Amino acid sequence: MTALLTIIIVLFIAVAIWQMVKIFDLAQVSTDTSHSGIATDYDNKINGYLMMGFLVFIYAITIISFVKWGDLPLVSNAASEHGSEIDNLMLISMAVIFTVQIITQFLLHWFAFKYRGEKGKKALFFADNNTLEAIWTIIPVIVLAGLIIYGLFTWTSIMNVDEDADPMIVEIYGQQFNWTARYAGQDNVLGMANVRLIDIDKANVLGIDEADPNAQDDIVVKELHLVVGKPVLFEIRSQDVLHSVYMPHFRAQMNSVPGMITKFGFTPSITTKEMRETPDMIDKVNNINNIRAEKSKELMAKGEGALDPYEFHFLLLCNKICGKSHYNMQMNIIVETQEEYDAWIKEQKTFKESLK
């Protein structure tokens, strides 16, 4: 609160000084027309050329950015079957945005240069032009309607999970500041749960109904394991505040809302091991570990421990600012073969076995 009050006071002081400077400038108005603030033809010419120079600058920055960072890794490494649909929607949207930006920025800067103020020149203007207004209204309507309709069809195809395909049922439970996963067990049916049933003394941290037969074989874990090629349907709950389940590589995000269950489903298309072996990921991991190695030298020189080497994992993150440790609210996701998953799940305790 003290910091907020300090910022407000500094802001008020800055506004007061700005107003005082304006008053001082008005009080110092000179009768000399050379300093009257009226732009001359020379001023307008300079500003016109500066506008064209800035146009060249923003085009150059755009080209350099595409050349240096244009591989767009965030739209080329989808790890779910629907991920390519999301990526296509993003690429189409970006193509439309860049096309419009290139055209409008050129017209904006060219008109500022071409029709800059000159002594004796009178501007020609139209009070209205129905043809032009129809063009710049209809074209955006068509383009935006196309994007929205395409987006709706994409979203519908993603959200309509085919439950006849017998998807794996997994609950994602969010609380400040960690995630917990609950597998439905052999019956693939989650037991009933309610936050009012949470019993820390018995290690029932999710409020699972101990009397529900479907809950007895549920499995509660702190690391999410998925089977490549097998559909999974997430049922999402929150214990306290609004969180957001965000799995960027799977192009999946859904809010975790207190008092209700939200759902999202997808099918993983690549294992964690396979993703680690892609050239882009190898380069990323090597780059991160080089940075960590340099940082470790500094830490060890101070008598502190070295940083652990980085290893890639798919992550489940929180994409809502839910409190002071929001940044660290994450869970590892392991995508593996059916055989590897079966071996892992056999090692986990059921809910009934985990109760104290």
Side-chain angles (χ1 to χ4, degrees), residues 44-60 62 100-117:
N44 291 330
K45 183 179 180 181
I46 293 298
N47 283 319
Y49 280 111
L50 286 174
M51 290 292 281
M52 293 304 295
F54 187 71
L55 176 65
V56 173
F57 170 75
I58 60 175
Y59 280 174
T62 302
V100 172
Q101 186 263 353
I102 289 169
I103 295 172
T104 55
Q105 290 299 318
F106 172 78
L107 292 175
L108 171 67
H109 291 80
W110 171 252
F111 271 63
F113 169 75
K114 178 67 175 178
Y115 301 106
R116 62 189 181 275

Side-chain angles (χ1 to χ4, degrees), residues 333-351:
I333 303 174
I334 308 297
V335 181
E336 55 200 356
T337 64
Q338 184 69 58
E339 293 75 16
E340 291 169 328
Y341 171 81
D342 291 340
W344 172 80
I345 202 72
K346 285 180 181 178
E347 298 175 355
Q348 310 307 312
K349 290 183 179 180
T350 63
F351 170 66

Side-chain angles (χ1 to χ4, degrees), residues 28-254:
Q28 297 297 317
V29 173
S30 172
T31 56
D32 185 356
T33 57
S34 64
H35 300 285
S36 62
I38 299 175
T40 64
D41 286 356
Y42 178 77
D43 295 330
N44 291 330
K45 183 179 180 181
I46 293 298
N47 283 319
Y49 280 111
L50 286 174
M51 290 292 281
M52 293 304 295
F54 187 71
L55 176 65
V56 173
F57 170 75
I58 60 175
Y59 280 174
I61 287 294
T62 302
I63 294 170
I64 291 171
S65 298
F66 269 110
V67 171
K68 194 167 184 179
W69 301 289
D71 56 347
L72 299 175
L74 293 180
V75 291
S76 62
N77 58 6
S80 62
E81 290 186 357
H82 77 264
S84 60
E85 299 178 47
I86 297 292
D87 292 349
N88 287 338
L89 184 59
M90 175 65 78
L91 287 171
I92 291 171
S93 299
M94 294 301 294
V96 171
I97 290 170
F98 272 101
T99 300
V100 172
Q101 186 263 353
I102 289 169
I103 295 172
T104 55
Q105 290 299 318
F106 172 78
L107 292 175
L108 171 67
H109 291 80
W110 171 252
F111 271 63
F113 169 75
K114 178 67 175 178
Y115 301 106
R116 62 189 181 275
E118 293 180 3
K119 189 173 181 180
K121 179 188 289 186
K122 185 176 181 180
L124 175 65
F125 66 92
F126 298 93
D128 63 82
N129 188 309
N130 292 336
T131 302
L132 284 177
E133 291 178 9
I135 290 173
W136 65 52
T137 301
I138 292 173
I139 292 177
V141 166
I142 293 173
V143 173
L144 290 175
L147 286 175
I148 292 169
I149 292 171
Y150 178 36
L152 286 173
F153 274 105
T154 301
W155 178 250
T156 301
S157 68
I158 293 169
M159 295 304 295
N160 287 342
V161 178
D162 183 10
E163 299 200 22
D164 292 335
D166 191 29
M168 181 191 303
I169 307 297
V170 181
E171 179 183 70
I172 300 295
Y173 185 82
Q175 63 186 118
Q176 294 174 312
F177 296 96
N178 63 80
W179 298 105
T180 305
R182 176 164 63 116
Y183 289 82
Q186 292 293 327
D187 58 6
N188 204 31
V189 179
L190 288 169
M192 299 297 293
N194 191 302
V195 292
R196 294 180 178 86
L197 299 177
I198 291 175
D199 189 340
I200 301 300
D201 294 334
K202 298 181 71 174
N204 186 359
V205 295
L206 302 187
I208 302 171
D209 187 349
E210 299 175 25
D212 186 350
N214 292 324
Q216 305 309 307
D217 65 346
D218 289 356
I219 298 172
V220 179
V221 294
K222 301 299 289 186
E223 185 175 69
L224 191 58
H225 284 242
L226 303 176
V227 179
V228 65
K230 183 176 180 61
V232 57
L233 178 62
F234 294 102
E235 298 187 4
I236 302 164
R237 287 195 298 143
S238 171
Q239 175 177 307
D240 36 46
V241 300
L242 184 67
H243 302 285
S244 187
V245 171
Y246 178 46
M247 296 173 270
H249 285 92
F250 301 102
R251 309 298 189 259
Q253 179 171 325
M254 181 57 68

